[in-house]
Amino acid sequence: MNITHIEHLGIAVKSIEEARPYYEDVLGMKCYAIEEVEDQKVKTAFFRVGNTDTKIELLEPTSPDSTIAKFIEKRGEGIHHIAFAVPDTEEALRHVESKGVQLIDEHPRRGAEGLDIAFLHPKSTQRVLTELCCKCDK
């Protein structure tokens, strides 16, 4: 598998507006996009890390039954997942599956910023929720 870079770190927050000043005023990053992903019941905010392709993604639940709301209820705010950029999400899924990794998503789906995304189950990824994503034009 060819991972090109860490695409983003996903951080679960109760409120983007409350978390945003830390990233902007303290760390000096600027939020460049806020987007709601309705089917995932989440609002996202993105911050670029320096002069790299790596980003911080804040994840705010938009419904009490969303995955992020359940995560915050169980574990509190904090790091939710790491996302790796790959050239082809479907190909990467088949590769990790062939290595015995348990998939959450059998096939890629559309995520924030128009990325094709797919999650791997933390039970088979050293307890780290892992996302594979691609800026694929498929």
Side-chain angles (χ1 to χ4, degrees):
M1 184 166 64
N2 180 23
I3 293 174
T4 59
H5 62 280
I6 294 174
E7 211 290 330
H8 65 268
L9 292 175
I11 301 173
V13 298
K14 292 178 185 174
S15 165
I16 287 171
E17 290 311 308
E18 288 178 19
R20 191 172 171 173
Y22 171 71
Y23 293 92
E24 291 189 327
D25 300 339
V26 176
L27 298 180
M29 296 184 225
K30 293 293 176 212
C31 178
Y32 69 86
I34 295 179
E35 174 183 351
E36 187 168 330
V37 184
E38 288 184 30
D39 68 322
Q40 294 177 34
K41 301 177 186 173
V42 69
K43 182 172 148 184
T44 64
F46 286 95
F47 302 79
R48 194 161 307 283
V49 179
N51 295 324
T52 69
D53 290 331
T54 302
K55 300 171 259 184
I56 297 293
E57 176 189 36
L58 300 183
L59 301 149
E60 174 187 317
T62 58
S63 172
D65 68 338
S66 74
T67 303
I68 297 300
K70 292 174 186 173
F71 176 89
I72 291 171
E73 183 179 312
K74 185 176 181 179
R75 296 195 173 108
E77 295 178 292
I79 295 177
H80 179 259
H81 68 273
I82 185 168
F84 295 108
V86 295
D88 184 316
T89 314
E90 185 73 47
E91 184 180 297
L93 280 173
R94 300 295 68 89
H95 172 78
V96 297
E97 186 177 41
S98 75
K99 301 288 187 182
V101 173
Q102 184 180 348
L103 307 180
I104 292 175
D105 296 303
E106 294 290 326
H107 300 283
R109 55 191 161 107
R110 190 63 75 189
E113 297 196 300
L115 295 175
D116 282 346
I117 66 167
F119 284 90
L120 311 179
H121 203 288
K123 287 181 181 175
S124 57
T125 58
Q126 304 299 301
R127 297 179 43 98
V128 176
L129 181 59
T130 303
E131 178 181 4
L132 302 175
C133 53
C134 173
K135 190 88 172 165
C136 301
D137 295 324
K138 293 181 180 179

